[in-house]
Amino acid sequence: MIRTMKLPALALHVLLAAAVALPTVACKRLAERAAEKAEEKAIQKQTGGQVSVNGQKGTMTVVTDAGEIMIGPSATIPADFPKEVPLYPGAKPQLAVKQANAQGKITWELNLETPDPTAKVTDYYKANTAGYTLATTFDMGTSATRIYQGPKYDITLMVGAESGGKTSITQSVSQK
């Protein structure tokens, strides 16, 4: 004699829902990945470079002969970014670009984000750019622009308040 055990109605519904949801979640992720691959191929065709799109992390990386760009909340500062150039402590990269001009001189472009106010950011750079000459200063409301010139690099710094209480730091470093 075979005994059957009855599952409570709630457990049966949970099992049924899981059985339906798992393939749906897997199919959704497959569809997202297929869309990412299509985006990658389209950008590769346009740029001739290697492209990586990660929708889950919200990042895109493009690497070409001319340079590289990383966009998104998991962007990182290029490993060869000059150590002697200050970076605002705790600022989170949102964009990182590295490119070379026709003479092979490199420029790094960073867009960083911090909760600190504009004045605190500009004060930090003023205190940490020893060996650089402050060539240009321009302030307008909660935005500030500074251009520092040094023996090996020029630094263009644009700092501005964003909505949501964050401050954006755009830092361009050009090799001389």
Side-chain angles (χ1 to χ4, degrees):
M1 177 176 186
I2 299 175
R3 289 188 151 180
T4 58
M5 184 167 58
K6 289 189 174 183
L7 291 173
L10 180 59
L12 185 60
H13 288 294
V14 169
L15 287 172
L16 188 57
V20 171
L22 286 176
T24 303
V25 170
C27 287
K28 184 177 179 185
R29 180 63 191 129
L30 287 173
E32 288 173 357
R33 191 64 194 134
E36 289 171 1
K37 285 293 181 194
E39 290 173 18
E40 289 172 358
K41 287 189 185 292
I43 296 168
Q44 284 173 349
K45 187 175 182 182
Q46 291 285 327
T47 64
Q50 295 296 314
V51 179
S52 173
V53 175
N54 187 325
Q56 285 187 319
K57 290 185 178 180
T59 61
M60 179 176 71
T61 305
V62 179
V63 179
T64 69
D65 292 340
E68 61 187 77
I69 181 170
M70 184 183 289
I71 302 169
S74 61
T76 58
I77 295 168
D80 63 348
F81 187 84
K83 303 292 182 228
E84 65 203 56
V85 175
L87 289 168
Y88 192 73
K92 301 210 179 318
Q94 302 298 308
L95 170 79
V97 178
K98 176 186 167 187
Q99 61 187 6
N101 66 16
Q103 293 79 34
K105 303 291 183 180
I106 298 174
T107 297
W108 296 266
E109 300 274 345
L110 304 176
N111 187 281
L112 310 167
E113 196 173 77
T114 181
D116 296 338
T118 301
K120 186 173 180 180
V121 174
T122 55
D123 288 348
Y124 169 83
Y125 281 95
K126 181 178 181 181
N128 289 281
T129 49
Y132 289 85
T133 302
L134 180 59
T136 303
T137 299
F138 179 75
D139 294 330
M140 189 167 126
T142 58
S143 297
T145 300
R146 305 284 186 269
I147 298 176
Y148 295 94
Q149 295 176 330
K152 292 170 57 177
Y153 304 101
D154 288 335
I155 304 168
T156 301
L157 184 67
M158 293 179 282
V159 182
E162 294 180 350
S163 62
K166 300 209 180 215
T167 298
S168 174
I169 306 166
T170 301
Q171 185 170 347
S172 175
V173 178
S174 301
Q175 194 176 41
K176 289 187 170 188

